[in-house]
Amino acid sequence: GESVGLHLPTLSVQEGDNSIINCAYSNSASDYFIWYKQESGKGPQFIIDIRSNMDKRQGQRVTVLLNKTVKHLSLQIAATQPGDSAVYFCAEVNTNAGKSTFGDGTTLTVKP
Amino acid sequence: DTGVSQDPRHKITKRGQNVTFRCDPISEHNRLYWYRQTLGQGPEFLTYFQNEAQLEKSRLLSDRFSAERPKGSFSTLEIQRTEQGDSAMYLCASSPGGSQGGRNQPQHFGDGTRLSIL
């Protein structure tokens, strides 16, 4: 069967390894999804987004995967660097409603 | 590049006092949002504006809270008779919004105002 990645509140990886951060969303009407990175004392910073008519989108070193069947979103970071250490949040958006609903964050720690 | 600007960055006040925060969005962004974030949690939606119209308010926004965006540019969030539970980071975000093509646009956040109630 299909496995769904679990959300973990913390993730520790070695520098250079790939990281996978998972998120479950709740609203079937959500049609737009965003990953944000938040460093201490700062506001969330946009990383990558994906619309509900897509299942994969790639950016620079980051890939977002969307599985609408099980309402699951993941963020893959390739060759993780110490500067990637931060809290990562997924957000789901129902563009008719306008607001974003944030999931539980994952604190990523990159060990040198 | 002028991103979203919030003022003040930190506010310490005594319980029962009124506080007001200001947010200057990215120029020409039609949508402006307010969120509250407590330690270890994701931002929680409070309210948002399309230009000067306040279109939605969360149940979190009690009658002690009021937000305005009088000219469709900057916004203020006021908390009256502050309580201990109001201690949090208050985040403002903006996005283009307002048209069909611009609806799926990420929100750009400021660095927030941290409120501490003594």
Side-chain angles (χ1 to χ4, degrees):
Chain A
E2 184 175 26
S3 67
V4 176
L6 295 176
H7 169 260
L8 299 174
T10 61
L11 178 64
S12 183
V13 300
Q14 206 69 37
E15 181 178 0
D17 286 353
N18 296 335
S19 302
I20 299 177
I21 299 172
N22 295 304
C23 174
Y25 66 93
S26 56
N27 188 349
S28 299
S30 295
D31 55 359
Y32 178 52
F33 305 88
I34 311 166
W35 278 101
Y36 288 95
K37 171 187 180 184
Q38 188 173 26
E39 296 173 304
S40 181
K42 296 194 171 184
Q45 176 187 3
F46 169 80
I47 302 173
I48 191 168
D49 58 1
I50 188 167
R51 292 168 176 72
S52 59
N53 61 352
M54 304 170 68
D55 54 21
K56 180 179 179 179
R57 190 167 188 218
Q58 287 184 289
Q60 190 174 29
R61 283 202 307 120
V62 294
T63 300
V64 55
L65 299 177
L66 174 63
N67 185 330
K68 293 183 290 295
T69 303
V70 294
K71 296 204 285 280
H72 180 263
L73 198 65
S74 69
L75 176 70
Q76 300 176 1
I77 305 174
T80 316
Q81 303 168 359
D84 295 327
S85 294
V87 181
Y88 290 80
F89 292 100
C90 67
E92 57 179 305
V93 186
N94 177 339
T95 49
N96 287 325
K99 68 180 184 182
S100 296
T101 301
F102 284 77
D104 296 330
T106 294
T107 300
L108 175 65
T109 302
V110 182
K111 295 177 289 187
Chain B
D1 173 33
T2 55
V4 177
S5 176
Q6 293 189 246
D7 182 70
R9 289 298 314 279
H10 304 275
K11 179 70 176 178
I12 301 173
T13 192
K14 293 181 179 178
R15 183 168 54 91
Q17 297 295 304
N18 300 341
V19 294
T20 300
F21 312 140
R22 177 180 170 123
C23 171
D24 287 89
I26 293 172
S27 180
E28 297 180 355
H29 274 191
N30 295 323
R31 289 193 171 183
L32 186 149
Y33 307 80
W34 285 100
Y35 292 85
R36 182 174 70 186
Q37 186 176 29
T38 53
L39 200 62
Q41 304 295 316
E44 296 175 293
F45 170 79
L46 292 178
T47 189
Y48 92 95
F49 292 83
Q50 174 78 33
N51 299 312
E52 66 274 9
Q54 189 172 17
L55 295 187
E56 187 175 350
K57 291 194 290 187
S58 163
R59 285 170 291 178
L60 294 174
L61 213 66
S62 75
D63 56 5
R64 296 185 297 106
F65 288 69
S66 62
E68 295 183 343
R69 195 184 183 196
K71 298 181 180 178
S73 56
F74 74 91
S75 175
T76 58
L77 177 69
E78 181 182 17
I79 309 174
Q80 295 183 325
R81 305 180 303 281
T82 52
E83 301 174 355
Q84 291 280 352
D86 296 333
S87 294
M89 174 78 85
Y90 289 85
L91 292 163
C92 176
S94 69
S95 68
S99 65
Q100 187 66 30
R103 291 173 77 193
N104 284 344
Q105 294 283 345
Q107 295 169 22
H108 298 264
F109 283 81
D111 286 336
T113 294
R114 180 165 295 283
L115 174 65
S116 298
I117 307 297
L118 301 177

